[in-house]
Amino acid sequence: MNEERAGAGMTSEADNGQFLTFTLQSEEYGIEILKVQEIKGFSKITPIPNAPAYVRGVMNLRGTVVPIIDLRCRFSMTEKEYDQFTCIIVVNIGTRVVGLIVDTVSDVLNIPHDAIADPPDLATGGDNAFITGMGKLDERIVMLLDTSRLVNMAAIAGVDTAA
């Protein structure tokens, strides 16, 4: 397996999944790299009245109005002041573009499919249905997220209307 990873383009998609990893508090999360459009440093966000608390507002990304979601708020974590490490991960969800505010972006990891465990039952019900798996790498566990479940598209549509 390590030989396959060493050769560029040698690992088939059936053997590994590539995930962009990032941190929130001290936990590590990952999203499929194919969903990521770009990574930006934190920049000005225009607030939108009456948007859900986790929707911080919108930003202008080369002429496109992009809704911005604070994942700490979405996950009911304590708020943290944005700093020089805070990033916005711009993702494609269907035909939509959405920005996700994270504490730091870590790495792109190849996680073998056989190293991805199902999430615990407690993590898949109700508002946590966006956790699709737990990537196990040595002593690390990376919570893998489904961006289409993570973002409430009805709330985002309301933001677009307000913007």
Side-chain angles (χ1 to χ4, degrees), residues 50-105:
N50 299 322
Y54 62 88
V55 178
R56 293 298 187 205
V58 295
M59 69 182 294
N60 181 350
L61 183 64
R62 292 181 296 283
T64 301
V65 175
V66 178
I68 305 297
I69 294 173
D70 186 321
L71 286 187
R72 274 181 168 264
C73 188
R74 178 72 172 100
F75 294 167
S76 302
M77 295 177 172
T78 58
E79 288 192 28
K80 174 184 179 252
E81 193 169 318
Y82 302 137
D83 59 25
Q84 72 270 24
F85 301 110
T86 303
C87 292
I88 298 174
I89 302 172
V90 181
V91 295
N92 295 306
I93 302 172
T95 60
R96 306 299 310 258
V97 177
V98 177
L100 307 173
I101 300 174
V102 301
D103 292 352
T104 60
V105 170

